[in-house]
């Protein structure tokens, strides 16, 4: 009989609770601060931006939060997502390692982002909000929120980072098909956008700028709220359905991961996969090494400073204690648009400071080479972001080949590249460059920390 390569759960086995890692940590993460008073922000400070249900999840001390039935019902369109054993990739690498990947590209928009877009739209609709504003980098988050808003009858307005808007016209069309309105960012529609354009008319934009524009618009409209696709505790909470499913699938496989790798932009797909495994590790039931992988052009965890900084460029958000490259840092327009964010989730940053995980950075050429190898062996073309995780996975598997270790590697394959193929075109044409962030540029942007 052929050996199994695919581990699928029945719908009835889909987890019905999200997992909150905070109560299990040796100490809680530092709170967000009000930019004016420098005191911890309270629910009232966040109310113009988020519905109460999400604010309560953001500060929750509960270990588990029930997933509402209408959200489970939408999740069932594509969840549980498959876990695969990458046997063909293992063979091509000649490694004794066993490689598994949890594939989130089966969602309606092709990534993990709907796992949080759906509950965010649900809670907003439940509290009478009629319009959501947001930013998008890769276009995956904007597509996910557009889909979720269509599902729960909300208007959706998206500021798409200029570099991505130009590189990915089909993402814009996908968002419009779901009924959203899409603007390139920086735009002339907001004071934050106009300020950037006045100084840099050719700005390629950044997630920080697009967040400022979306926040500014939400704050000015009583019926609107803002939705964030990564970074915050409630977003990572919603993504833990990935790791909870993967734990059950590893039981089916009769295996246990030794190394877990995932790409990090703001930290949501990584945290979503890793946190349930971290719970098991903290409880002494397994001991995987947990490793984040970020782009060399935007290395917030590995080279950023752990400090209070704004989540956006204009300084409209609360101050978050996180690994940051500085809120006005504009990363080079690498193809992994979803990884071009100046900060890292405060929760991931805190866990990193506690020494419970590792981080590395990799240049984009090695990542696309890994993406091509993966596509040619496993048949799935990975989105530019998770090629970073795959590059790290291949490094680990090749290390096992040298040492003969039979390690079990788990990676988050958080999306496919069907609308990102021009990035592969650039790789094949040989015009992709590895932009490593210079020390001078880093020092300059860190000088602007509040
Ligand atoms: C496919 C994909 N992977 C990863 C990311 C990075 O975000 P996060 O670190 O929150 O998972 C994005 C963000 O847009 C994305 O679209």
């Amino acid at each position: 009989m052929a050996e199994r390569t695919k581990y699928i759960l029945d719908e009835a086995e889909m987890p019905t609770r999200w997992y909150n890692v905070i109560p299990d940590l040796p100490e809680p993460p530092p709170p967000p601060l009000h930019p004016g008073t420098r005191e911890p922000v309270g629910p009232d400070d966040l109310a113009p931006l988020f519905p109460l249900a999400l604010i309560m999840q953001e500060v929750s001390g509960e270990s588990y939060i029930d997933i509402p039935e209408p959200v489970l019902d939408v999740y069932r369109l594509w969840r549980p997502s498959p876990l695969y054993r990458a046997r063909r990739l293992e063979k091509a690498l000649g490694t004794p390692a066993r490689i598994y990947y949890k594939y989130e590209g089966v969602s309606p928009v092709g990534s993990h982002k709907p796992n949080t877009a759906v509950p965010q739209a649900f809670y907003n609709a439940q509290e009478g909000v009629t319009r959501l504003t947001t930013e998008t980098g890769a276009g995956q988050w904007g597509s996910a929120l557009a889909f979720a808003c269509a599902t729960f009858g909300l208007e959706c307005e998206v500021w798409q980072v200029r570099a991505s808007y130009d590189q990915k016209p089909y993402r814009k069309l996908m968002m419009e098909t779901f009924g959203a309105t899409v603007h390139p960012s920086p735009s002339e529609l907001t004071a934050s956008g106009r300020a950037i354009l006045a100084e840099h008319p050719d700005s390629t934009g950044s997630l920080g700028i697009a967040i400022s524009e979306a926040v500014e618009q939400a704050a000015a409209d009583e019926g609107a709220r803002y939705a964030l696709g990564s970074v915050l505790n409630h977003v990572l909470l919603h993504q833990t359905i990935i790791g909870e499913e993967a734990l059950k699938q590893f039981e089916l496989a009769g295996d246990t991961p030794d190394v877990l790798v995932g790409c990090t932009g703001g930290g949501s797909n990584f945290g979503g996969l890793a946190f349930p495994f971290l719970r098991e590790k903290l409880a002494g039931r397994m001991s995987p090494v947990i490793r984040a992988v970020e782009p060399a052009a935007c290395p917030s965890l590995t080279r950023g400073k752990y400090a209070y900084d704004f989540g956006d460029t204009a300084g409209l958000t609360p101050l978050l204690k996180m690994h940051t490259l500085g809120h006005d840092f504009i990363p080079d327009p690498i193809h992994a648009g979803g990884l071009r964010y100046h900060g890292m989730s405060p929760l991931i940053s805190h866990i990193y400071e506690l020494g419970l995980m590792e981080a590395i950075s990799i240049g984009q050429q090695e990542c696309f080479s890994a993406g091509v190898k993966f596509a040619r062996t496993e048949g799935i073309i990975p989105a530019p972001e998770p090629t970073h995780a795959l590059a790290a996975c291949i490094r680990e598997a090749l290390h096992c080949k040298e040492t003969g270790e039979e390690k079990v590697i788990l990676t988050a394959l958080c999306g496919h590249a069907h609308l990102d193929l021009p990035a592969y075109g650039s790789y094949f044409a040989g015009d992709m460059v590895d932009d490593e962030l210079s020390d001078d540029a880093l020092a300059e942007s860190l000088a602007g920390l509040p």
Side-chain angles (χ1 to χ4, degrees):
M1 199 175 77
E3 288 177 295
R4 270 182 90 167
T5 56
K6 192 173 175 187
Y7 299 90
I8 310 230
L9 299 173
D10 289 337
E11 256 179 43
E13 294 172 286
M14 187 170 83
T16 56
R17 300 183 304 176
W18 294 302
Y19 167 61
N20 178 16
V21 73
I22 296 174
D24 286 338
L25 296 177
E27 46 188 279
L33 301 182
H34 190 285
T37 62
R38 307 273 157 137
E39 293 295 322
V41 292
D44 288 352
D45 298 313
L46 298 173
L49 293 185
F50 302 109
L52 190 62
L54 292 176
I55 295 172
M56 297 323 285
Q57 290 181 1
E58 190 61 26
V59 297
S60 173
E62 300 290 317
S63 294
Y64 293 94
I65 292 177
D66 286 336
I67 307 175
E69 186 51 42
V71 173
L72 288 172
D73 201 40
V74 183
Y75 276 179
R76 284 186 200 104
L77 290 175
W78 72 96
R79 304 211 71 87
S81 71
L83 175 82
Y84 290 93
R85 169 101 182 260
R87 291 185 188 275
R88 291 183 180 82
L89 176 65
E90 290 167 14
K91 200 166 161 206
L93 296 172
T95 178
R98 299 196 287 286
I99 302 173
Y100 292 84
Y101 57 97
K102 176 74 170 156
Y103 185 44
E104 290 295 309
V106 291
S107 84
V109 303
S111 76
H112 64 296
K113 296 285 180 181
N115 295 334
T116 182
V118 171
Q120 289 196 45
F122 167 76
Y123 290 119
N124 274 286
Q126 220 188 16
E127 293 185 28
V129 173
T130 55
R131 170 179 171 235
L132 283 180
T133 68
T134 198
E135 75 294 331
T136 193
Q140 289 272 17
W141 166 243
S143 309
L145 194 70
F147 153 69
C149 283
T151 303
F152 291 106
L154 296 170
E155 275 177 59
C156 181
E157 201 162 344
V158 184
W159 274 262
Q160 183 172 11
V161 174
R162 179 95 234 180
S164 151
Y165 187 90
D166 294 337
Q167 280 166 354
K168 303 184 183 189
Y170 294 129
R171 276 286 162 201
K172 173 173 176 275
L173 289 173
M174 185 187 266
M175 291 184 258
E176 288 173 346
T177 305
F178 286 127
T181 308
V182 187
H183 314 288
S185 170
S187 76
E188 293 285 353
L189 298 168
T190 65
S192 322
R194 287 190 295 272
I196 298 284
L197 288 173
E199 236 183 283
H200 308 283
D202 297 326
S203 171
T204 50
S206 71
L207 278 165
I209 297 170
I211 293 172
S212 295
E213 296 203 89
V215 165
E216 189 184 316
Q217 287 275 315
D221 174 356
E222 183 45 42
R225 292 291 181 276
Y226 164 70
L228 186 60
S230 187
V231 178
L232 297 178
N233 298 348
H234 67 270
V235 179
L236 275 60
L237 172 85
H238 300 154
Q239 294 293 354
T240 58
I241 189 154
I242 304 175
E244 293 290 17
E245 283 180 7
L247 275 169
K248 290 187 172 196
Q249 288 161 314
F250 265 92
E251 260 177 53
L252 287 180
D255 231 339
T256 310
D258 298 305
V259 184
L260 190 156
V261 290
C263 69
T264 44
S268 76
N269 87 86
F270 173 78
L273 180 67
F275 289 171
F277 286 88
L278 180 58
R279 173 189 65 215
E280 300 303 301
K281 182 173 174 166
L282 291 169
R285 289 187 283 266
M286 56 173 75
S287 55
V289 168
I290 298 175
R291 186 175 299 144
V293 191
E294 53 186 18
C298 193
S300 55
L301 267 179
T302 50
R303 291 180 62 201
K305 188 166 173 183
Y306 187 47
Y308 273 103
D309 195 7
F310 293 107
D312 70 317
T313 304
L316 304 178
T317 69
L319 290 166
L320 305 172
K321 181 98 187 256
M322 59 183 177
H323 286 84
T324 177
L325 300 166
H327 60 277
D328 46 22
F329 175 73
I330 307 230
D332 289 314
I334 53 166
H335 288 279
L339 306 185
R340 289 178 76 228
Y341 183 59
H342 66 273
M344 181 49 59
S345 139
L347 189 48
I348 299 274
S349 295
H350 175 64
I351 289 171
Y352 184 57
E353 285 297 306
L354 290 173
L356 297 173
M357 57 172 275
E358 303 176 352
I360 59 170
S361 73
I362 304 186
Q364 61 177 345
Q365 293 190 61
E366 180 180 340
C367 298
F368 275 85
S369 159
V372 170
K373 190 174 275 298
F374 188 85
R376 290 180 186 173
T377 49
E378 294 296 316
I380 297 172
I381 308 179
E385 292 79 11
T387 62
H388 290 70
L390 291 170
C393 176
I394 289 176
R395 278 189 188 182
E396 187 71 40
L398 292 176
H399 179 70
C400 289
K401 184 177 177 177
E402 273 171 31
T403 61
E405 287 169 286
E406 292 182 16
K407 280 190 190 166
V408 176
I409 307 169
L410 167 62
T411 186
L413 181 52
C414 54
H416 66 62
H418 296 179
L419 300 186
D420 307 302
L421 288 172
Y424 281 83
S426 159
Y427 174 72
F428 294 133
D431 54 23
M432 184 175 276
V433 286
D434 276 342
D435 291 309
E436 186 130 351
L437 173 62
S438 75
D439 288 336
D440 287 350
L442 178 59
E444 194 185 320
S445 74
L446 286 178
L449 282 181

